[in-house]
Amino acid sequence: MNFRLSIVCFFIFSVVFAQQPEERTRHFHDSIGFAKHAWQMDSIYARIASEDKTANHEIYKAVINPHDDYTYAGGLYARTLSGIQASTVILVGVAHRAKNYDLADQLIFGDFDNWEAPYGKVKISALREKILKNLDPEVYIVHDSMMQLEHSLEAIVPFLQKKDKNVEIIPVLVPYMKFSDMQQFSEELARATKEVLITEQLEFGQDVAIVISNDAIHYGSEDWGGSDLAPFGTDSIGNARAHQKDEKIIEETLKGTLSEEKIKQFNQYTVDENNYKQYEWTWCGRYSVPFGLLFANKLNMMLNHQNLNGSLLGYRSSLYNEHIPVTDLGMGTTAPAKPTHWVAYLGMSYQ
C-alpha cells in the first residue's frame, strides 16, 4: 500500500512539476559601463555627488534619462529618476542594433518574465500583456533577441531598483521610425494603456510612470567607426558650439508645455528629412524621445485633459563633467571621453 501510494505521489509530483513553465530571464548584456552586483551599485551610489541625491517628493509622470556609462552620467541618473515614484515603469528605449535584425517601423516588446539586475530579478509587470491585448498587432513585434542585445534600458533598471526593490517594468524599444508612424503608434499605445489604467484603477505618475532612454549629441572626429561627427570642429570653440546647439534644441522643443508641433520640431532637428533612417544631428534618442513624449503626452491628455510640462533637470557631457571613479569596482568605460570623442546627457522631467 505504501509502495503504491509513493508511486501515485511521485506521478502527481512529476505531472505538476512538468507543467510549471520555466521563467524567461533577460540576462545582463553590459557589465563594464553598468553595475551588475549590489555592492557595485551601492558603491556607485555612494560616490554620486550629494546634490544629485537630494530627496525629491515630486511625482514625475515621465522623464528623459541618460543610458551611458555610470562613470560619465551616474549622477544625472540619480537626479532624474528621483521623481519616479511609481511602482510600475514603462521603459521606452533605443534600438541600437535594429539593423542587425532588419527591424523598423514597429514597436519592439519582449517576452521575458523578468530581468537580471544588481539586487535580484526585476519582474516584468503583468500590465504588459493587458496593454498588448488592447494594441493592434500590426503596431508591434515581440523580439527577445533584440531586447537581450539592447543596453539602453538595462542601464536604467539598476537605478530604479536601487530606489524601489519591488519595482516592475514594461520595456519597449523604438527602432527606425517615421514621424507619422510615431504619431499613430503613440496614439494607439496611449489608448491601450489608458484602458488598462482605468480598468486597474491606477494613476498615471503615482502608479505607472514612463522613463525615456536617451543620450544627447555624440560628437567628435575619432573612434566613431571611421565617421567624422564634428561639424564644428573639435577645438574648444567647436565643442562649445556643439553643446550650444544641444541646448538650443532642448530649449525650443523639450522644455515647457509639450505639443505635437514641438515634438515634431525635435524630430526635424535630429532626423534627416530625406531619409528617416539617417541622422541630421547625432542624438542617440532620435526615435525614443519623440515617440516617448508623444506617448506620454497623449496618455496625459486622455486621462487628465492637459499637456505635460517639461523641466530641465540637467545637461552634462562626458567631456566637461567630473567622472565617478569605477575601475576599483571592476567596471570601466565603453568609449573614450576626450575633445575628439564625447557624448552629452540630458535629464528632463514631465508633470
Side-chain angles (χ1 to χ4, degrees):
M1 185 67 179
N2 289 340
F3 176 76
R4 289 180 179 177
L5 182 60
S6 298
I7 291 295
V8 170
C9 290
F10 176 78
F11 175 76
I12 293 173
F13 175 81
S14 299
V15 170
V16 171
F17 184 78
Q19 290 177 342
Q20 297 300 313
E22 184 177 347
E23 280 196 340
R24 293 176 51 77
T25 300
R26 182 202 179 273
H27 298 289
F28 290 109
H29 176 68
D30 181 348
S31 60
I32 298 173
F34 314 137
K36 183 177 181 179
H37 305 289
W39 62 268
Q40 289 176 317
M41 195 64 207
D42 289 341
S43 297
I44 289 288
Y45 203 79
R47 296 174 186 186
I48 289 172
S50 58
E51 56 267 27
D52 284 332
K53 297 184 290 187
T54 303
N56 186 358
H57 302 293
E58 293 186 359
I59 297 176
Y60 300 158
K61 292 180 177 177
V63 299
I64 297 173
N65 191 85
H67 61 245
D68 205 358
D69 299 340
Y70 290 175
T71 185
Y72 297 145
L76 195 53
Y77 282 80
R79 177 184 289 267
T80 304
L81 297 173
S82 66
I84 296 295
Q85 313 295 356
S87 57
T88 300
V89 179
I90 301 174
L91 295 167
V92 180
V94 177
H96 286 91
R97 303 291 181 85
K99 190 175 181 180
N100 290 22
Y101 301 102
D102 196 28
L103 293 171
D105 308 316
Q106 285 181 301
L107 300 174
I108 303 168
F109 286 83
D111 195 36
F112 295 109
D113 299 305
N114 50 61
W115 281 28
E116 270 190 314
Y119 301 99
K121 293 176 181 178
V122 170
K123 186 178 178 181
I124 299 298
S125 171
L127 298 182
R128 179 186 66 185
E129 300 310 313
K130 296 178 181 181
I131 290 172
L132 291 181
K133 283 181 181 178
N134 289 334
L135 200 58
D136 183 343
E138 297 298 315
V139 168
Y140 71 93
I141 185 172
V142 175
H143 202 292
D144 281 348
S145 296
M146 179 70 247
M147 192 65 74
Q148 172 60 54
L149 190 62
E150 177 52 48
H151 68 269
S152 66
L153 299 183
E154 175 179 304
I156 295 168
V157 170
F159 275 89
L160 292 173
Q161 189 187 38
K162 172 72 176 174
K163 194 168 184 294
D164 177 4
K165 299 300 189 294
N166 296 313
V167 69
E168 297 185 1
I169 59 174
I170 303 173
V172 54
L173 305 177
V174 187
Y176 306 106
M177 192 173 290
K178 303 181 190 73
F179 190 75
S180 57
D181 286 338
M182 291 185 195
Q183 291 172 303
Q184 177 191 342
F185 298 167
S186 61
E187 180 83 19
E188 296 197 29
L189 184 58
R191 195 169 301 283
T193 304
K194 180 204 73 171
E195 295 300 326
V196 171
L197 294 187
I198 291 173
T199 300
E200 300 293 324
Q201 297 184 319
L202 300 173
E203 185 177 341
F204 186 25
Q206 185 70 51
D207 301 303
V208 176
I210 298 168
V211 173
I212 303 164
S213 181
N214 163 82
D215 280 333
I217 185 65
H218 289 47
Y219 196 84
S221 57
E222 296 179 347
D223 304 311
W224 292 115
S227 298
D228 187 340
L229 306 182
F232 303 132
T234 56
D235 60 8
S236 59
I237 295 174
N239 285 328
R241 288 183 65 190
H243 283 91
Q244 288 163 6
K245 181 167 180 177
D246 258 10
E247 290 166 345
K248 174 182 171 68
I249 293 171
I250 294 165
E251 184 67 33
E252 292 182 2
T253 69
L254 303 179
K255 288 175 65 175
T257 303
L258 274 183
S259 67
E260 198 150 310
E261 292 74 22
K262 288 171 72 172
I263 299 170
K264 184 176 182 180
Q265 187 181 1
F266 173 89
N267 182 255
Q268 291 169 336
Y269 266 123
T270 57
V271 175
D272 187 331
E273 65 178 347
N274 298 313
N275 183 354
Y276 73 99
K277 294 186 178 182
Q278 297 295 326
Y279 286 107
E280 179 67 26
W281 182 243
T282 48
W283 272 53
C284 191
R286 70 192 191 276
Y287 307 116
S288 61
V289 168
F291 176 84
L293 291 180
L294 286 168
F295 166 46
N297 201 48
K298 289 177 179 180
L299 181 59
N300 201 58
M301 285 292 294
M302 291 176 186
L303 293 169
N304 302 305
H305 312 293
Q306 60 182 9
N307 292 305
L308 293 171
N309 190 273
S311 299
L312 178 65
L313 300 174
Y315 174 78
R316 305 174 184 180
S317 76
S318 60
L319 179 61
Y320 288 150
N321 293 95
E322 186 175 351
H323 299 166
I324 299 169
V326 297
T327 54
D328 62 316
L329 304 178
M331 298 170 61
T333 61
T334 55
K338 55 186 180 179
T340 55
H341 184 115
W342 55 270
V343 176
Y345 315 113
L346 172 65
M348 295 286 304
S349 66
Y350 292 91
Q351 294 171 284

